[in-house]
Amino acid sequence: PDQQMRAYVFDVVRSTVPKQILDDVFENKDAIALAVKESLSVSMDSFGYEIIQALVTDIEPDAKVKAAMNEINAQQRLRVASQEKAEAEKILVVKAAEADAESKYLAGVGISRQRQAIVGGLRDSVAAFSNEVQGTSASQVMDMMVLTQYFDMLREVGMKGGQSTLVLPQNPGAMSDVANQLRAGFIQRANVHTGAPPVQEIMS
């Protein structure tokens, strides 16, 4: 009976296992055990044997097959790991770009507010000086402020080491030219927005 049962078991295994891929064989051990039990129950009943249960305790493929399966699993896990790494790097790049854009936006807002504050301060200073000193015009006040800023710039350049040498004209006519150039620049910018003629045409 032992040899007959062994033969029946091998027959069931040979007829069942080849229909499945190897991965499914490991997952379907219970189904294989049930097929063996049913086959043995029918065959051994005539010999007076009752088959209570059939168990598939282990599946042992060839060593080369096991090595190939391990390699496949390793490659699959490496592929998944590579995909996850690429996704993480993409998220980092996107977040860095978003942070850079936000930083530039905030810097632009800060510069805009700084310029608005400068313009407001200049406007208040010109108005206050004109009110305190009678007979002065806004143009004269601006000339004086340009001169003050010019000397502040020279002082800053002189106090900081490692600066490049600056050769600037130092005479009253040159300061008048600087003031005229700044004033012309302001007027030119205003004319661009209002559609007025260029400064040269106005002066001529």
Side-chain angles (χ1 to χ4, degrees), residues 99-144:
D100 183 62
E102 183 68 16
S103 175
K104 291 179 178 178
Y105 170 76
L106 293 177
V109 172
I111 293 174
S112 175
R113 291 176 178 175
Q114 180 186 28
R115 291 175 178 173
Q116 291 175 0
I118 292 173
V119 172
L122 289 174
R123 182 179 60 249
D124 295 341
S125 299
V126 171
F129 194 92
S130 299
N131 292 332
E132 293 294 333
V133 181
Q134 299 297 326
T136 58
S137 64
S139 176
Q140 292 172 332
V141 176
M142 287 298 299
D143 289 343
M144 184 185 66

Side-chain angles (χ1 to χ4, degrees), residues 161-180:
Q163 299 293 332
S164 300
T165 302
L166 297 178
V167 180
L168 299 173
Q170 296 296 321
N171 56 72
M175 290 309 305
S176 177
D177 291 340
V178 171
N180 290 333

Side-chain angles (χ1 to χ4, degrees), residues 8-9 11-12 16 30-46 49-55:
Y8 283 124
V9 170
D11 183 63
V12 172
T16 304
D30 293 340
I32 297 173
L34 180 61
V36 170
K37 175 181 178 299
E38 292 176 351
S39 177
L40 288 179
S41 296
V42 174
S43 302
M44 303 306 295
D45 183 64
S46 59
Y49 289 94
E50 181 181 0
I51 307 300
I52 303 299
Q53 186 61 273
L55 299 175

